[in-house]
Amino acid sequence: MRWSCRRGRGLVVLATAAVALPLTATLSPAAADTPAPAPVATPAPVAAVVPQPVSQQALPGGEFTLTAKTRIAVLSRDSAAVGVGTYLSKLLAPATGFDLQVVRTTKAPDKAVVLDPNGPKELGAEGYTVSARANGIVVTAYGAQGLFRGVQTLRQLLPAAVESRTKQSRAWTVASTEISDSPRYEYRGVMLDVARRFFPVEQVKRYIDEAAAYKINKLQLHLTDDQGWRIAIDALPNLTKVGASTQSGFTGGTGWYYTAADYKEIVSYAASRFMTVVPEIDGPGHTWAAQTSVPELRCDDKYARPYSGFDVKVSLFCLGEQKQMDATKNFLQTVIKAVAELTPGPYIHLGGDEVPDATTSEQYDSYVKTVSDATTAEKKTVMGWHQLGQSPLPAGSLLQYWGEDDDRKTIGTAKEALGIRHLRAGAAQDARFIMSPSDHAYLDMQYDASTPYGLKWSGFVPVQRSYEWDPATVTGKLDGTGVIVPAQKVAGVAAALWADRAYEGSNELPNAGTRWPAPQEYADFMSFPRLPAIAEVGWSPQSARDWNGFRQRLGLHGPRWTAAGIGFYPAPDVAWAGTAGIGLEGVHTLTTGGKALNVPGSSTASGTQLTTATADGGSGQKWSFTRYSDGTYALVNQASGLCADVNRGFTSAGAKIIQWTCTGTPNQRWIVTPVNGGHTITSAKTKLLLTAASTADGALITQRAAKGTALQKWTVE
Ligand code: TNX
């Protein structure tokens, strides 16, 4: 007896289950202009596993309780399988405070967590079963990789607090359940744009862990672009001396690249999470950084000046002159050889996207031939953006499709988009494909108007959009017909976190006051909850996926991310569990500079300017946050019932913040953004920040341009 989710009428459908499971209610979407009520989620009947397993059955019977004495028993001498046991023990240690012993044995002991890699071959490399009963848990797979995937599921069967990095005093129980699972697609990737924004090794490792928890198994590193070259190549020291000295918005760096040792460390850390690193060396466009370092690549033979800007299509190698073609060939052979030697995985991604419009097809073809020859010479598989499909490719190449609905709409018409024609040309060469449609899988697209970072050229991508698509039909027309890439040629999916606009206020170019979050902070906010959504698109059978079930299962992961310290976006379309994931809905005290946001004298008069004052616990200092469907908040004072308001919607810096009858107009909508150790509170209308004049009692509140100062950082309690 199994339960499963089906598409249709938007309800979680429960088949006859062994125990009565509460049916989760469908929540109606909030009307656009009224504050959305705080979503109420029913507690999960069984643990909410993401990605959704192929089958999951709740069983009667008691719970298993993990204690300090529980052993992790690995039924194998295989070091990779034992390694998964050690990984699990270390994973559980911080929150439980247990140092669980890992034993190798041939017989499953009682009351243990048993890892058995000797399951049937039919499970495949990544399939597994989890059988949890009161007297023990058994994870079975065909090899270590499947065990690792099963361990990620087991982790989600434990209470959310297990993700905490500090010891939590509580019972560690797992309800009786039976799970059987294997992936839809072999390739489930995520790309980090370390070229536009350099991610230090530690932050890459952390991201690997976050992604591996959702069974992502490929990490594409976008290592080269106009704004930076990030991988050391011994024979070409300028690439890191000069080419790595810029990022989008930064100049003068000396260490913004991975040494060979750094890169190896990333590769081996990823491998320990059964994740393959796919290095990307982009060209023939996106190559300005290379041209700052190797003048022979340029028609004028001169070093290009380092570029730290925000544009695309700004560069091309000199393709046409024999002398430069020879230099380019040498360069590519050197680079590809060095990267191939450092990369145990089968793929090298050659980019191929966004060349300047004037590029001829002869130039493009000649580049693709040179670089793909260099790649196959190293016995690596050619991967590239779907534009690469326009040129002849080696057999078995893998193309990454990043088109959007607007391209798909042209399929079969007289004016097919160029991208669609390139896609067709790639499909005609029998290439396999990874699906990264920009309007579903690009993590740098803004969720909604409140998103402080990223772009929206492919439209807003709320969580629902990142979830509701099918890799098998995403290269067809919107009605699902006219599919260009046949289903059997779809190798998987990949999310892509571009980082050319990884700063606050990214709808405009940055200025001196712009806040640049740490790469990890940017990555967390843009990836969670969308990366888990894309992970499920790649893993779970299409028939087992439905948005209404997903938004409730996903909502139960908010507390996990909170416990793990992942700074996620509490997106309004997810049914967050309890209070943990629902953002800031509820009543809060706001403090800055040690003083509380205050209506002087708890006045109920409309037009009273807000101040900060010594905290007194009174209702004049209590603010109820009510979220609108666009992700902004109304801030309602609890003494007056009036809303925080930019006086008459003035757009000038220095305008007063007053209280006024709540109207829901943009000058009463506030974008509340987590910043290190606090929040900024930005007017949705004016994009200026709620700012206290000083730390004095009665300091006046106005709106000011973002300066990153302490009096613009609010603690929300
Ligand atoms: C397009 S689509 C790019 C990147 C940008 C990204 C920003 C593609 C393969 N390339 O160069 O960073 O848009 O959204």
Side-chain angles (χ1 to χ4, degrees):
M1 285 189 275
R2 306 217 148 125
W3 75 265
S4 63
C5 293
R6 299 210 192 106
R7 287 180 83 75
R9 267 185 254 114
L11 276 182
V12 177
V13 177
L14 300 177
T16 25
V19 286
L21 305 173
L23 195 71
T24 38
T26 310
L27 297 161
S28 56
D33 270 328
T34 45
V40 185
T42 317
V46 288
V49 179
V50 175
Q52 168 85 5
V54 171
S55 78
Q56 181 178 6
Q57 180 189 4
L59 296 175
E63 299 169 328
F64 174 79
T65 303
L66 191 83
T67 72
K69 293 203 182 109
T70 304
R71 287 187 299 172
I72 297 174
V74 184
L75 304 190
S76 169
R77 305 181 68 81
D78 170 45
S79 64
V82 177
V84 176
T86 311
Y87 164 89
L88 177 60
S89 175
K90 286 196 180 141
L91 184 74
L92 300 177
T96 61
F98 305 154
D99 179 15
L100 300 181
Q101 207 192 335
V102 181
V103 294
R104 287 184 310 194
T105 171
T106 47
K107 194 170 165 291
D110 251 13
K111 296 268 178 206
V113 174
V114 177
L115 303 183
D116 179 1
N118 312 302
K121 197 172 176 194
E122 290 65 41
L123 285 170
E126 295 189 292
Y128 66 89
T129 58
V130 174
S131 181
R133 300 285 190 285
N135 71 344
I137 297 178
V138 183
V139 182
T140 306
Y142 181 66
Q145 187 179 180
L147 281 186
F148 184 82
R149 306 291 173 230
V151 159
Q152 301 311 320
T153 295
L154 170 57
R155 168 183 190 178
Q156 296 183 11
L157 301 178
L158 282 155
V162 79
E163 300 298 335
S164 174
R165 300 297 92 199
T166 55
K167 192 175 166 203
Q168 308 292 306
S169 294
R170 55 158 302 142
W172 302 104
T173 54
V174 175
S176 289
T177 187
E178 195 75 45
I179 292 173
S180 159
D181 203 9
S182 62
R184 179 179 182 192
Y185 292 114
E186 186 276 328
Y187 192 118
R188 303 175 309 279
V190 63
M191 187 210 78
L192 282 186
D193 177 5
V194 297
R196 269 63 168 274
R197 190 84 166 90
F198 179 65
F199 283 59
V201 173
E202 287 312 311
Q203 296 188 32
V204 176
K205 286 180 169 175
R206 203 186 122 167
Y207 197 75
I208 287 172
D209 279 326
E210 292 176 3
Y214 291 93
K215 303 188 175 77
I216 293 290
N217 67 358
K218 304 284 185 291
L219 175 70
Q220 178 182 343
L221 291 175
H222 183 73
L223 289 168
T224 71
D225 212 303
D226 297 316
Q227 296 87 345
W229 184 281
R230 306 283 173 233
I231 178 91
I233 308 290
D234 275 352
L236 296 162
N238 254 359
L239 285 173
T240 41
K241 212 156 75 202
V242 184
S245 67
T246 40
Q247 304 183 44
S248 293
F250 295 84
T251 55
T254 52
W256 295 334
Y257 63 92
Y258 305 117
T259 62
D262 290 338
Y263 182 80
K264 278 188 193 156
E265 192 179 331
I266 292 171
V267 165
S268 83
Y269 194 81
S272 74
R273 271 70 180 153
F274 295 86
M275 194 181 286
T276 304
V277 170
V278 179
E280 180 183 351
I281 306 296
D282 203 351
H286 291 282
T287 51
W288 196 269
Q291 297 179 42
T292 65
S293 313
V294 185
E296 296 79 19
L297 300 170
R298 288 171 58 78
C299 295
D300 64 4
D301 264 344
K302 292 195 178 123
Y303 290 102
R305 287 170 55 138
Y307 179 73
S308 58
F310 302 88
D311 286 330
V312 295
K313 296 192 181 185
V314 299
S315 62
L316 187 71
F317 281 142
C318 184
L319 305 168
E321 307 291 329
Q322 194 56 46
K323 192 175 123 209
Q324 278 86 355
M325 298 277 280
D326 292 345
T328 304
K329 187 172 182 176
N330 279 339
F331 172 82
L332 290 171
Q333 284 174 343
T334 305
V335 168
I336 299 293
K337 186 169 196 300
V339 171
E341 277 167 5
L342 291 171
T343 304
Y347 306 109
I348 297 194
H349 196 299
L350 305 176
D353 57 318
E354 296 176 327
V355 291
D357 294 340
T359 314
T360 67
S361 52
E362 290 73 23
Q363 290 173 333
Y364 193 87
D365 286 353
S366 77
Y367 180 85
V368 172
K369 167 138 184 55
T370 308
V371 74
S372 53
D373 282 354
T375 304
T376 49
E378 300 302 323
K379 309 221 167 359
K380 296 293 184 189
T381 299
V382 166
M383 190 169 168
W385 298 106
H386 69 262
Q387 280 90 344
L388 221 56
Q390 67 189 284
S391 296
L393 292 173
S397 296
L398 195 57
L399 295 177
Q400 186 167 6
Y401 173 67
W402 60 270
E404 54 180 357
D405 280 3
D406 282 351
D407 301 303
R408 298 170 61 189
K409 283 180 194 153
T410 69
I411 292 174
T413 67
K415 282 212 169 133
E416 278 195 345
L418 191 60
I420 295 296
R421 281 183 271 147
H422 293 158
L423 179 69
R424 273 194 198 287
Q429 299 189 60
D430 223 18
R432 293 180 308 138
F433 284 82
I434 301 303
M435 300 305 174
S436 302
S438 55
D439 49 1
H440 298 284
Y442 269 23
L443 298 175
D444 68 317
M445 290 301 120
Q446 297 173 339
Y447 291 90
D448 54 47
S450 79
T451 309
Y453 320 122
L455 288 159
K456 54 181 179 202
W457 59 263
S458 212
F460 291 132
V461 180
V463 184
Q464 183 169 4
R465 231 179 131 63
S466 63
Y467 185 75
E468 286 197 304
W469 60 286
D470 180 355
T473 55
V474 79
T475 61
K477 293 196 242 185
L478 297 188
D479 67 3
T481 65
V483 173
I484 294 172
V485 176
Q488 72 275 16
K489 289 291 175 186
V490 180
V493 305
L497 182 64
W498 297 102
D500 28 352
R501 295 291 176 105
Y503 57 86
E504 272 180 23
S506 58
N507 290 331
E508 311 292 337
L509 288 176
N511 57 49
T514 296
R515 198 181 80 87
W516 295 81
Q520 184 65 56
E521 188 185 337
Y522 169 71
D524 279 2
F525 191 83
M526 301 306 266
S527 308
F528 287 85
R530 292 182 296 194
L531 180 61
I534 294 156
E536 180 155 315
V537 172
W539 179 282
S540 306
Q542 188 69 16
S543 59
R545 297 206 296 115
D546 91 297
W547 165 246
N548 277 302
F550 180 69
R551 65 191 284 273
Q552 314 228 12
R553 256 182 306 119
L554 189 66
L556 289 153
H557 285 235
R560 293 184 175 273
W561 305 332
T562 301
I566 296 176
F568 66 101
Y569 173 50
D573 49 351
V574 175
W576 298 108
T579 56
I582 59 166
L584 296 162
E585 285 275 355
V587 177
H588 300 286
T589 309
L590 295 163
T591 50
T592 189
K595 297 272 169 21
L597 185 66
N598 182 65
V599 173
S602 294
S603 162
T604 53
S606 257
T608 308
Q609 185 173 7
L610 309 186
T611 62
T612 45
T614 304
D616 61 12
S619 57
Q621 296 184 349
K622 294 228 163 73
W623 299 88
S624 149
F625 282 43
T626 311
R627 188 167 47 199
Y628 292 98
S629 56
D630 64 1
T632 64
Y633 290 92
L635 272 51
V636 188
N637 186 266
Q638 294 300 277
S640 63
L642 301 178
C643 275
D645 173 299
V646 178
N647 186 27
R648 301 171 70 181
F650 287 141
T651 55
S652 50
K656 292 180 197 172
I657 307 302
I658 59 169
Q659 63 173 356
W660 195 259
T661 308
C662 298
T663 57
T665 47
N667 65 322
Q668 294 188 349
R669 292 185 185 219
W670 301 93
I671 300 165
V672 185
T673 309
V675 295
N676 281 342
H679 293 81
T680 54
I681 300 175
T682 307
S683 162
K685 163 120 198 257
T686 67
K687 302 297 186 292
L688 298 173
L689 271 58
L690 199 72
T691 308
S694 70
T695 55
D697 234 358
L700 293 170
I701 305 295
T702 55
Q703 61 174 1
R704 302 275 166 184
K707 286 276 175 340
T709 60
L711 293 173
Q712 295 183 326
K713 193 194 271 187
W714 297 86
T715 307
V716 181
E717 275 162 338

